[in-house]
Amino acid sequence: MTNYKPKNRLTPQAYIDGILKGDRVILSRAITIIESNLESDKILAKEIIQAILPTSGNSIRIGVTGVPGVGKSTFIEVFGKHLISKGHKVAILSIDPSSQRSKGSILGDKTRMEALGQLENAYIRPSASGDTLGGVANKTGETMLLCEAAGYDVVLIETVGVGQSETAVHGMTDFFLLLMLAGAGDELQGIKKGIMEMADMVVINKADGDNIRMSEMAKRQYQNALHIFPQSESGWTPVVSTASSTKNTGIDSVWDTILEFKKLVDKNGYFNENRKRQQIQWMYNNINEELKHMFYGSKNISSKLSTLEKDIIASKISPVKAAQQIIEKFKASFQ
Ligand code: GDP
C-alpha cells in the first residue's frame, strides 16, 4: 500500500514554481502531499519544503485559542478581513488532532469563515488529520512554511482549546492570543493556568450589548491575574482587552498590540531567538514521530506486539519485560 504512487502528481519543480507564484490551487495540492502518508509523497514533500525554505519565515505567526463557542471563527473572520484591508495576505490553519477530514474538521465546515475564504488574499486550510497530535502539528508546521513561501505574511493558527493542542500551537507561533468570555469562571471555560501563562494577549470576546459591563470587569480581573505571573522571557507584558467580533469593535487594537509586540521582540532579539529554539524543538518532534512510525509501522514489531499483549493478559510476562523484549527486537533489526 505505501509503495503506491498516485498518477496525478506534478513534478517537484511545478509545485515549487506554483507556490512561489502564489498559485492557491498548486499550494493546496502541495499541502495535500505534505499531509499524505504515502512513502512517495513523503519524498516529494521533503523536496518541495527544502526548495521553498529560503523564502519561508517572513510572516508573523499568531496562535488563536479559546474554548469552543468563545467566538474564534467569528473573530478570525473579522480580524482576517481587517488585515486584508490593510494590504496583508492571511493564511488560516488549524490544529485539531481529533479531526477527520471526511467528517468535517473544525475549519472544514463550509459555513465557517465563508466570506473570508472568498477573498483573494485569504487562504483557509482545515486541520490535517492524523493519529497523533505530534504528527498533526508537524504537518501544520510544514503547511505554514509553504503558505509563507506563497506570500502570506500573516499566519493564524487556530486550536480547539481543549487539550494539549494549545502547547503545540504555542510552540510554532510568535504571538499567542487567548479568547475568553466574561462571566464564566476559568474552570468553566476549561482554561488551565498554564494556558493563561502562555498568552501574550487575552481578549474578552463578545463585549457587546448587555455584556459590555461584565466584559470590562472581566478585563480588570484578568489584568490582575496576569500580574502575578512571572515576567515572560520575551520581556513583553501580556495585554488584556475587550472586543466584539459581531460589532467589529476592539479588532484593530488586537493588531496594533501585535505590532507593538513585534517591535519589542525584534529590538530585544527575542523574536529570532524564539524562532531558532522552535526550530530545534521541531527537529525533535520530527525525530519522535519518525521513530514511532518506524517502530509501529514495522510488520515484525506489530505481530510480536500482539503476541506480547496475549502473554501479558495470561500473566506469562511482565509489561516491563515485554517492553524490553520488543525494543531488543527492534534494535536487532538494525544490526
Ligand atoms: P468558536 O467555536 O470558538 O469558533 O465560536 P464561533 O465563532 O463559532 O461563535 C460561537 C457563537 O458565538 C456563534 O453563535 C457566534 O455568532 C457568536 N459570537 C461570536 N462572536 C461574537 C461576538 O463578538 N458577540 C456576540 N454577541 N456573539 C458572538
Side-chain angles (χ1 to χ4, degrees), residues 97-219:
S98 63
S99 87
Q100 282 182 354
R101 185 69 57 78
S102 57
K103 289 186 190 156
S105 64
I106 51 167
L107 282 173
D109 182 346
K110 286 266 187 310
T111 59
R112 298 187 89 222
M113 303 179 202
E114 206 168 7
L116 182 61
Q118 281 165 3
L119 297 180
E120 168 93 26
N121 287 329
Y123 181 77
I124 302 181
R125 181 81 181 188
S127 178
S129 52
D131 302 332
T132 64
L133 171 61
V136 173
N138 285 344
K139 286 171 182 175
T140 309
E142 288 170 0
T143 299
M144 175 169 76
L145 298 179
L146 259 52
C147 290
E148 289 173 343
Y152 293 89
D153 63 333
V154 182
V155 179
L156 301 175
I157 307 188
E158 181 191 13
T159 158
V160 281
V162 281
Q164 286 298 308
S165 51
E166 296 92 339
T167 313
V169 171
H170 182 253
M172 62 170 73
T173 50
D174 307 309
F175 188 91
F176 199 66
L177 180 64
L178 173 62
L179 297 186
M180 300 280 266
L181 293 175
D186 291 355
E187 296 87 343
L188 244 179
Q189 297 194 46
I191 298 293
K192 295 178 203 80
K193 183 168 160 278
I195 292 161
M196 281 282 286
E197 267 181 75
M198 289 193 285
D200 296 301
M201 183 172 193
V202 176
V203 172
I204 317 292
N205 197 29
K206 306 194 188 182
D208 44 52
D210 294 344
N211 222 0
I212 295 182
R213 214 175 58 84
M214 290 264 280
S215 301
E216 286 301 326
M217 266 168 58
K219 177 177 151 178

Side-chain angles (χ1 to χ4, degrees), residues 309-322:
E309 276 186 27
K310 287 189 196 105
D311 290 350
I312 290 172
I313 290 167
S315 302
K316 283 195 197 153
I317 191 167
S318 80
V320 175
K321 184 106 187 153

Side-chain angles (χ1 to χ4, degrees), residues 66-75 106 112-113 158 179 205-209 211 243-248:
V67 291
V70 72
K72 289 181 298 300
S73 60
T74 316
F75 171 82
I106 51 167
R112 298 187 89 222
M113 303 179 202
E158 181 191 13
L179 297 186
N205 197 29
K206 306 194 188 182
D208 44 52
N211 222 0
S244 165
S245 309
T246 47
K247 296 274 182 259
N248 205 343

Side-chain angles (χ1 to χ4, degrees), residues 235-297:
W236 172 256
T237 308
V239 169
V240 186
S241 76
T242 58
S244 165
S245 309
T246 47
K247 296 274 182 259
N248 205 343
T249 53
I251 304 295
D252 45 353
S253 88
V254 175
W255 181 238
D256 292 343
T257 302
I258 293 171
L259 291 180
E260 263 176 56
F261 170 87
K262 179 78 167 56
K263 209 160 119 190
L264 175 87
V265 292
D266 272 342
K267 200 162 159 222
N268 70 14
Y270 179 81
F271 187 86
N272 279 329
E273 223 175 89
N274 187 45
R275 282 258 176 122
K276 294 225 165 83
R277 214 170 20 212
Q278 289 179 342
Q279 278 180 321
I280 303 286
Q281 188 54 47
W282 199 349
M283 175 184 77
Y284 283 109
N285 292 349
N286 267 284
I287 294 173
N288 290 344
E289 288 307 310
E290 192 59 34
L291 280 178
K292 264 195 261 179
H293 183 75
M294 278 165 69
F295 183 80
Y296 290 106

